[in-house]
Amino acid sequence: MIHSFAAAMSNELQNTSSLNFQDVQNSSPVQTQDLRPLTVSPWDIALCVTGTLISCENAIVIAILFYTPTLRGPMFVLIGSLAFADLLAGLGLILNFIFVYILDSDFVTLFSVGLLIAAFSASILNILAITVDRYLSLYNALTYHTERTVTYTYVMVVVIWLVCIMLGLLPVLGWNCLRNESSCSICRPVTKNNAVVLAVTFLLVFAFMMQLYLQICKIAFRHAQQIAVQNHFIVISTTKGVCTLSAILCTFAMCWMPFAMYSIVADSSYPIVYTYATVLLATCNSVINPIIYAFRNPDIQKSLWLACCGCFPTNLSLRPRTSSDV
């Protein structure tokens, strides 16, 4: 998604080594360009390593959900959709590294960029969907566990992926800056205008999530005060849910806000090191997502323990799960 320093460094190597290889070039069919070593940016290596970690984490989550029949509720459908989006994002980072240094061409560049746009957009929208699900589980607590809710969840997931696939196809369909480098954003070949639209959309999504979060807190604490008989249980559950949502929003903002703001104010003429730094921070959100949504869930923990050693610790919670616990 981001072009490395390889081209600039290659030009520098060509200028400094032209005298040393002049005789070889004149007497051999092998050109000086073929003899120059490939310079790999450490930032690209860091993104590739991050993509590998993302892929491994989310592949584990998907495998657990797929092979555990009891994990089929709306909550786990959304978690699975989020894990699949992050898995695609991790694979996209790995493919982007391969395409830049091995199969560099316009088509593969557009393909890798489209894959990353679709995957990260799906990741963000799935986080929004989980927030909406948390709100509905509290606002419509009596009717939440119904067939209508399950159908609504699947429809929401399908809509999310259709929208994200359309966004991913935009660069391939011509919405790119390959023919006009001056219109490029910080992430070539995405145009500056498209990058600004995506960044503003993210800010709107985050603002909506904040509003839902405030409503969830109000409803949760009101329920805790109304049910005095179960006060101890409700306070623990509510506090845990609020802490989890706080962690979600804080992590989401810290990872994506720098990249979104930088996409609005910067363009391709800005130092690429700042682009790498903000993109690497944004990808860290996909590293943290499995920890927040999946590995902290006792039901998923039990399945993971059963898959690894055939048992699970007795200190895991045995009470029925609610969606607000995620």
Side-chain angles (χ1 to χ4, degrees):
M1 190 175 184
I2 308 166
H3 281 274
S4 65
F5 304 112
M9 291 184 176
S10 297
N11 293 332
E12 183 179 355
L13 286 171
Q14 183 178 11
N15 295 332
T16 58
S17 61
S18 58
L19 294 177
N20 296 335
F21 289 99
Q22 184 175 5
D23 296 335
V24 177
Q25 182 179 5
N26 294 333
S27 60
S28 172
V30 180
Q31 299 298 315
T32 304
Q33 184 178 2
D34 298 330
L35 297 175
R36 293 198 304 270
L38 178 63
T39 303
V40 181
S41 168
W43 287 101
D44 287 324
I45 296 175
L47 287 173
C48 185
V49 172
T50 304
T52 304
L53 179 60
I54 292 171
S55 301
C56 293
E57 281 185 317
N58 289 281
I60 294 174
V61 175
I62 293 174
I64 292 174
L65 295 176
F66 182 79
Y67 288 106
T68 308
T70 57
L71 304 181
R72 295 292 185 270
M75 169 178 60
F76 297 107
V77 171
L78 294 174
I79 293 176
S81 180
L82 175 62
F84 183 68
D86 287 332
L87 174 62
L88 288 182
L91 295 176
L93 292 173
I94 298 173
L95 291 176
N96 182 72
F97 180 85
I98 296 174
F99 290 161
V100 167
Y101 290 100
I102 300 178
L103 302 173
D104 190 15
S105 69
D106 289 346
F107 175 77
V108 296
T109 298
L110 293 175
F111 174 79
S112 63
V113 168
L115 176 60
L116 289 172
I117 290 176
F120 282 117
S121 298
S123 179
I124 292 173
L125 292 181
N126 274 293
I127 293 177
L128 174 62
I130 291 176
T131 306
V132 172
D133 181 68
R134 301 292 78 78
Y135 171 76
L136 293 178
S137 68
L138 292 173
Y139 185 77
N140 297 321
L142 297 178
T143 60
Y144 175 78
H145 295 283
T146 62
E147 291 296 329
R148 185 176 61 179
T149 302
V150 175
T151 303
Y152 164 79
T153 302
Y154 280 106
V155 170
M156 184 165 53
V157 169
V158 170
V159 170
I160 287 174
W161 280 103
L162 287 177
V163 171
C164 294
I165 290 173
M166 292 174 59
L167 291 175
L169 289 175
L170 290 181
V172 180
L173 297 177
W175 294 58
N176 59 71
C177 62
L178 293 179
R179 297 183 180 180
N180 184 11
E181 297 290 337
S182 61
S183 65
C184 286
S185 67
I186 59 174
C187 295
R188 184 183 180 274
V190 179
T191 63
K192 172 66 175 179
N193 292 336
N194 290 348
V196 170
V197 170
L198 291 174
V200 172
T201 302
F202 162 79
L203 295 177
L204 294 176
V205 168
F206 181 73
F208 185 49
M209 287 178 60
M210 284 290 297
Q211 180 63 28
L212 287 175
Y213 167 71
L214 293 176
Q215 295 299 321
I216 289 172
C217 290
K218 291 179 181 179
I219 295 173
F221 283 114
R222 184 167 64 247
H223 287 179
Q225 294 174 355
Q226 290 175 348
I227 311 179
V229 176
Q230 300 178 353
N231 184 68
H232 179 67
F233 170 78
I234 294 297
V235 167
I236 292 176
S237 177
T238 303
T239 303
K240 184 177 181 179
V242 170
C243 290
T244 302
L245 288 173
S246 299
I248 292 170
L249 289 176
C250 290
T251 302
F252 188 65
M254 288 188 298
C255 291
W256 279 105
M257 195 66 73
F259 177 72
M261 299 304 297
Y262 189 65
S263 297
I264 295 175
V265 302
D267 54 35
S268 58
S269 64
Y270 280 60
I272 198 172
V273 63
Y274 299 138
T275 302
Y276 273 120
T278 54
V279 168
L280 184 61
L281 184 61
T283 59
C284 289
N285 187 66
S286 295
V287 177
I288 301 173
N289 281 341
I291 300 174
I292 293 179
Y293 294 98
F295 297 138
R296 293 180 69 253
N297 186 290
D299 291 327
I300 295 179
Q301 288 180 14
K302 294 173 188 176
S303 299
L304 186 59
W305 276 97
L306 288 172
C308 294
C309 61
C311 62
F312 57 86
T314 57
N315 58 351
L316 287 177
S317 175
L318 295 178
R319 68 177 178 83
R321 303 294 297 163
T322 63
S323 60
S324 59
D325 292 333
V326 177

